[in-house]
Amino acid sequence: MPHRMSTLRRYLGIHAALMRYSLIHEMQFKVNFLLWIVVEALWFGLQLAFMGVLYGHTDQIAGWTRWEVVLLVGCNQFIQQLFHTFFVTNLSNLSELIRKGTLDLLLLQPVNTRFLISVKKFEIGNIANALMGLAVVAYALAQLDRVPTPAQWVGFAVVCLAGLSVHYSLMFLLACISFWTVRAQGIVWGYYNLFNIARLPAEAFPKGVYRAVFTWVLPMLLVSNVPAKLLAQRLASPWDWVSLLAMAVACFVASELFWRFSLRHYTSASA
Amino acid sequence: MSHSVPAASGPWAKYAHVVSMGIQNTLVYRANFLFRAAFGLVPLTATLFLWEAIYSGRPAGSAIGAYTLGQMVSYYLLVTVIDAITAVAEDDWQIAADIKDGAVSQFLLKPLDYLAYRLCLYLSGRVVYTGVALIPVALFLFFQRGHLVGPSDPWCWVLVPISVFLAGLLQFLIAYTVALLSFWVLDVSTFIFIQFAFEYLASGHLFPLDILPDALHRLLLWSPYPYLLHFPAGVYLGRIRGDDLWRGFCMQAAWVVAAFLIARFTWSRGLRQYTAVGG
């Protein structure tokens, strides 16, 4: 057990050092740093505006009221921006690491390679956008007159982590396709496209292939819906959060297996 | 496509050459384009489901902002098709890169106009993208054929292509001008995304603009954005007719001319800033 602890502390130390390095790098371009926060805030505003226009013409969508959907969009923003903060840049960079042969260097480090690839760069600006998402969540809760208990906030944190882990695992898995084709970047950004459906109420989708695929294969309709339902106290049964946690584990295992399989097929690009 | 045309055949020959070169270059990305077009259908399907859910909560045959469900679905399908034909793909990033790494220098020496050159590459990119995207989009349209509304008027076969053509020109000129900001700023991508956010909303990509409150809708019609998607789609659906139709075409043409002048002005101003890095 003490050995475990020291390993954990070592990895946390490496993570902290990488974060510090990213931060110093980022602060060299302050205006650009602020502009990126503006860009993300604008797109968030756009999502809210879209819902605002829809609810100008209807009182409910598949049983979701206006403020419940705002809550959902806020939760989705929170999770998505955390994903951005820690992982998106790193994962979309994997194909470059392979193409240029830089991966060799990382493979030789005395640290888990997957860990290094995943947390190399830290986008601090997106934290600000994640907090905006959280602020919208709080505002929507006030409008709904719901006050979550401390236990519900803990549950919220857990399901958000599970959602984050789903995004991470799936994008990592897609990024591993770069081991076979240099054009995997398009596929990785394609995943980014799928993100868009996570902020919609799952009940709006008729039972069928589409809904099944995006619940049980690429669980986009769970990652943000479950946290939002939990806070809005709309969870009908524990089945929802149990399936999200199960899918989070399944996606992570699948990505780890595929990663190991891919590494076995890796032939370096550099000399 | 043969283009061993002697220089004597006029200035068109060299630009025809650029187009064919552009087509060959972008054909390399056909698999990427296919992924892009196919992945793009996933959020589109989601949006259509969302609208179906909204309409199902109302009495059958009811309309939102004078759109029946069929017209609403058709609107989104039209926007998808027009977007596939006109959207800029990599053009703005390439222009920014040309400026950053000094590749524009050669255009100052060659008898080739940079704007015309980029326009040719944009056109060739659109030809390839439309060709590739046709497969998934046509399949999708086939599955949605029950909802698809036909053109409102025989004249549409003339008017819609004209408005889509003008929309393409406008789309290119906007992207071109934003990319030229690279003459002044370090990283133009933030400006590209900020511009795109406004375009996404005000062009009618997210929802048809005429379900907005009337005053807001009328205000937006003075901006260039509705003429990228909302206007051509509205012409097809017969929602824009009579005086509005001719006024719309005039506004669209006026914005194309204005965007061209702004692009030229920005270019000449930018060149004064330009210090050919890497020459």
Side-chain angles (χ1 to χ4, degrees), chain A residues 32 36 54 57 193 205-206 210, chain B residues 42 49 51 58 64 187 211:
Chain A
N32 213 40
W36 274 114
L54 292 188
H57 294 279
N193 224 329
F205 298 86
Y210 191 94
Chain B
V42 173
F49 278 139
W51 277 109
R58 317 167 125 251
I64 290 176
D187 177 15
I211 65 169

Side-chain angles (χ1 to χ4, degrees), chain A residues 29 32 35-36 39 42-43 46 50 53-54 57-58 61 183 186-187 190 193-194 197 200 204-206 210 214, chain B residues 28 32 39-40 42-43 45-46 49-51 54 58 64 186-187 189-190 193-194 196-197 200-201 206-207 211-212:
Chain A
F29 311 99
N32 213 40
L35 276 175
W36 274 114
V39 169
L42 264 179
W43 282 94
L46 218 62
F50 178 53
V53 170
L54 292 188
H57 294 279
T58 184
I61 299 174
R183 290 200 218 294
I187 304 172
N193 224 329
L194 301 186
I197 70 168
L200 303 176
F205 298 86
Y210 191 94
F214 288 107
Chain B
V28 177
N32 244 349
F39 268 123
V42 173
T45 312
F49 278 139
L50 196 66
W51 277 109
I54 293 171
R58 317 167 125 251
I64 290 176
L186 191 67
D187 177 15
S189 45
T190 44
F193 280 119
I194 289 173
F196 188 54
Y200 204 67
L201 183 78
L206 261 182
F207 50 78
I211 65 169
L212 285 171

Side-chain angles (χ1 to χ4, degrees), chain A residues 189-208:
Chain A
W189 284 109
Y191 178 71
Y192 209 68
N193 224 329
L194 301 186
F195 260 38
N196 291 334
I197 70 168
R199 60 167 185 262
L200 303 176
E203 285 80 4
F205 298 86
K207 286 199 166 65

Side-chain angles (χ1 to χ4, degrees), chain B residues 124-154:
Chain B
S124 49
R126 289 302 89 204
V127 168
V128 175
Y129 186 86
T130 309
V132 174
L134 204 63
I135 306 159
V137 171
L139 267 175
F140 191 77
L141 291 184
F142 179 75
F143 282 116
Q144 294 283 343
R145 66 190 180 283
H147 286 305
L148 206 56
V149 180
S152 56
D153 193 277

Side-chain angles (χ1 to χ4, degrees), chain A residues 11 14-15 18 85-98 102-109 111-122 168 171-173 175-176 178-179 259 262-263 266:
Chain A
Y11 275 89
I14 295 171
H15 199 176
L18 288 169
T85 309
F86 293 103
F87 302 120
V88 173
T89 314
N90 297 313
L91 298 187
S92 50
N93 203 30
L94 180 60
S95 66
E96 278 300 285
L97 293 180
I98 295 169
T102 328
L103 184 64
D104 296 6
L105 205 75
L106 298 179
L107 282 169
L108 292 174
Q109 303 290 328
V111 186
N112 183 307
T113 312
R114 179 172 180 171
F115 170 78
L116 265 191
I117 293 171
S118 304
V119 302
K120 198 151 179 283
K121 198 149 186 301
F122 171 73
Y168 165 72
M171 197 161 172
F172 188 83
L173 203 151
C176 283
S178 322
F179 280 101
W259 161 246
S262 310
L263 268 190
Y266 176 58

